[in-house]
Amino acid sequence: MAGFRSLARQVRDPRCDLALRRYSLRKCLEKFAPYGHRATWDHLCSRAGFGPEDRSPDPARLVAALDELEEARSVWLAYEAEFTQRRKREKHDGLRRPGSVDDWHRLTWGGFGVAWCDDPRVHPHEPLAEVLRRLISALEREPGSACPVCAGERLVWKYDLAHEPSSGPVCTDCGIVVPRPVLTPGALAEARRVRLLVSA
């Protein structure tokens, strides 16, 4: 099975058939898709200016989508490398039990679903790398009461999400499932309360 870099080379290779180049970009999302496969594809298509069902997009647009995905992937890989080093230091210092950020991180290793969007048509509009930088910054500071990506305060608890965890606070402004560790207990309780009001 081809890795991300091998697939990226195919997307860029002008000698490759256009259908293969598009297919290779889609396959890249099996390796790294911050919003989930469908939502990340929708995001990349809208930002690069071609339709999700377009079978023969402009090759320059495919490469632009890949550029955005690669930049975001480099941001995430740098975070994972730092995370690994931090955990090694903590284990060395005797801290064996991981915290809530570590529990969340284990579910997103490799970058799949880091900022999961359960509705593939509702996702942040900013570049992927910027979204990940905001999310990482939120993971590294004290919990807050708003979405770390768009600063939206309208969080609703949703069940039966198509990703682990299967329930959680969803930002109604940008569509991401907000990682629980970045929210205060009060913000989590409020999201649950709003969910109850919405479903009543």
Side-chain angles (χ1 to χ4, degrees), residues 4-5 31-32 34 69-85 105 108-112 114 132 136:
F4 185 94
R5 286 182 292 188
K31 310 294 180 189
F32 180 73
L69 188 64
E70 284 180 320
E71 182 184 1
R73 184 171 178 263
S74 69
V75 168
W76 187 251
L77 291 177
Y79 169 73
E80 285 192 336
E82 173 53 36
F83 176 89
T84 301
Q85 289 304 312
H105 191 269
T108 60
W109 190 258
F112 188 84
V114 172
L132 292 183
I136 290 166

Side-chain angles (χ1 to χ4, degrees), residues 24-45:
S24 296
L25 179 60
R26 289 293 302 252
K27 292 294 279 182
C28 283
L29 300 184
E30 291 178 11
K31 310 294 180 189
F32 180 73
Y35 303 153
H37 191 282
R38 292 173 57 212
T40 305
W41 178 249
D42 190 77
H43 170 86
L44 292 173
C45 291

